[in-house]
Amino acid sequence: MSRGRVARLVVRPVARLVARRTGPVRRTVEGMRIVIAGGHGQIALRLERLLAARGDEAAGIIRKPEQADDLRELGAEPVVLDLESASVEEVARCLEGADAAVFAAGAGPGSGVGRKDTVDRAAAVLFADAAVRAGVRRFVIVSSMGADPEHQGDEVFDVYLRAKGEADAYVRSLDALDWTILRPGQLTDEPGTGLVRLEARTGRGPIPRDDVAAVLAELVDTPATAGLTLELISGSAPVSVAVKSVAGN
């Protein structure tokens, strides 16, 4: 799909939604508008369901138009845009009027070295730059435990950890963002328990994707966690309690 075709798919719905919600970042009785990169990912789909259920306006950025109905069924708005080829201006148009942005995109376990750079690093940098351009301060990025821009090695997973680390470092450098970096442990498809351990350092451990999504939903609504890099594994604290604890409440 060409860049021009992508732009035609995106501009009209975004313009309509901007007319409905503009102004400073805040939670209102109408809920927040939250734009999620990687909108058809396993964590993002769970997050969109949670946000829609609590009355927020979730928009998921997807590459493939055929994925749109999956988001609509969850109550989310699909926005078709390829973050590997889009410009900052195109992504910023998707973010205009949003209260928060969540980067949950990833190249996936079957991808090679090239896409670890174009998605896990470059797309995250692009999304952060677009949030700054659109004036969206609240920014949450899903990273990986062990992410480090200085990580050594040439295997695919080494490149992945380095790409994630470089993306995290870039986001941290942007004073215009109230960022939070979330680094989950080993992701599983087990049903969520709602009980987690969320700290600066947790050590390795599993975490259901359900619980990662629940933590993300709390984080976007908790600006007091801005400036924190947090690891997440299963634990004994309810999600809301764990988030309030790291927020200092």
Side-chain angles (χ1 to χ4, degrees):
M1 182 179 292
S2 68
R3 182 177 297 179
R5 177 60 177 159
V6 168
R8 285 194 294 273
L9 286 168
V10 173
V11 169
R12 184 172 298 171
V14 170
R16 183 177 68 250
L17 287 164
V18 168
R20 206 166 61 230
R21 173 176 286 282
T22 58
V25 175
R26 64 190 184 279
R27 185 170 178 85
T28 71
V29 293
E30 298 176 354
M32 301 172 69
R33 173 167 168 78
I34 300 159
V35 179
I36 303 160
H40 199 263
Q42 295 185 65
I43 291 173
L45 290 170
R46 290 165 166 85
L47 175 60
E48 287 152 2
R49 180 187 290 111
L50 291 174
L51 295 175
R54 78 181 189 189
D56 289 329
E57 196 176 85
I61 297 177
I62 56 177
R63 287 193 306 122
K64 300 176 181 179
E66 58 267 30
Q67 297 171 337
D69 285 345
D70 292 338
L71 272 69
R72 293 190 186 102
E73 289 175 4
L74 300 174
E77 175 210 351
V79 178
V80 179
L81 184 65
D82 187 350
L83 293 177
E84 291 180 85
S85 61
S87 68
V88 173
E89 291 76 15
E90 287 172 324
V91 182
R93 284 199 294 271
C94 298
L95 285 161
E96 287 174 1
D99 300 301
V102 177
F103 186 83
S111 59
V113 168
R115 295 201 72 224
K116 301 306 182 189
D117 182 69
T118 59
V119 178
D120 293 295
R121 184 197 62 80
V125 167
L126 173 71
F127 198 58
D129 284 342
V132 173
R133 181 76 60 91
V136 180
R137 291 202 61 92
R138 189 71 181 114
F139 191 92
V140 179
I141 181 170
V142 181
S143 183
S144 176
M145 201 171 288
D148 181 353
E150 303 300 325
H151 183 85
Q152 300 298 306
D154 298 320
E155 298 297 322
V156 172
F157 192 64
D158 297 320
V159 175
Y160 168 74
L161 291 177
R162 193 157 54 244
K164 281 293 193 183
E166 290 171 353
D168 293 352
Y170 186 80
V171 169
R172 290 192 190 102
S173 75
L174 299 176
D175 293 337
L177 295 181
D178 295 329
W179 53 265
T180 302
I181 297 169
L182 182 66
R183 294 178 167 176
Q186 178 188 355
L187 298 171
T188 76
D189 289 323
E190 296 296 318
T193 65
L195 300 174
V196 301
R197 182 179 175 190
L198 181 69
E199 300 172 11
R201 294 286 185 272
T202 62
R204 301 277 178 177
I207 181 74
R209 288 179 172 86
D210 287 348
D211 290 334
V212 177
V215 169
L216 287 170
E218 289 286 333
L219 288 175
V220 294
D221 202 21
T222 311
T225 59
L228 299 179
T229 299
L230 301 167
E231 294 183 350
L232 173 67
I233 59 175
S234 293
S236 58
V239 167
S240 60
V241 173
V243 173
K244 288 178 180 177
S245 178
V246 296
N249 298 328

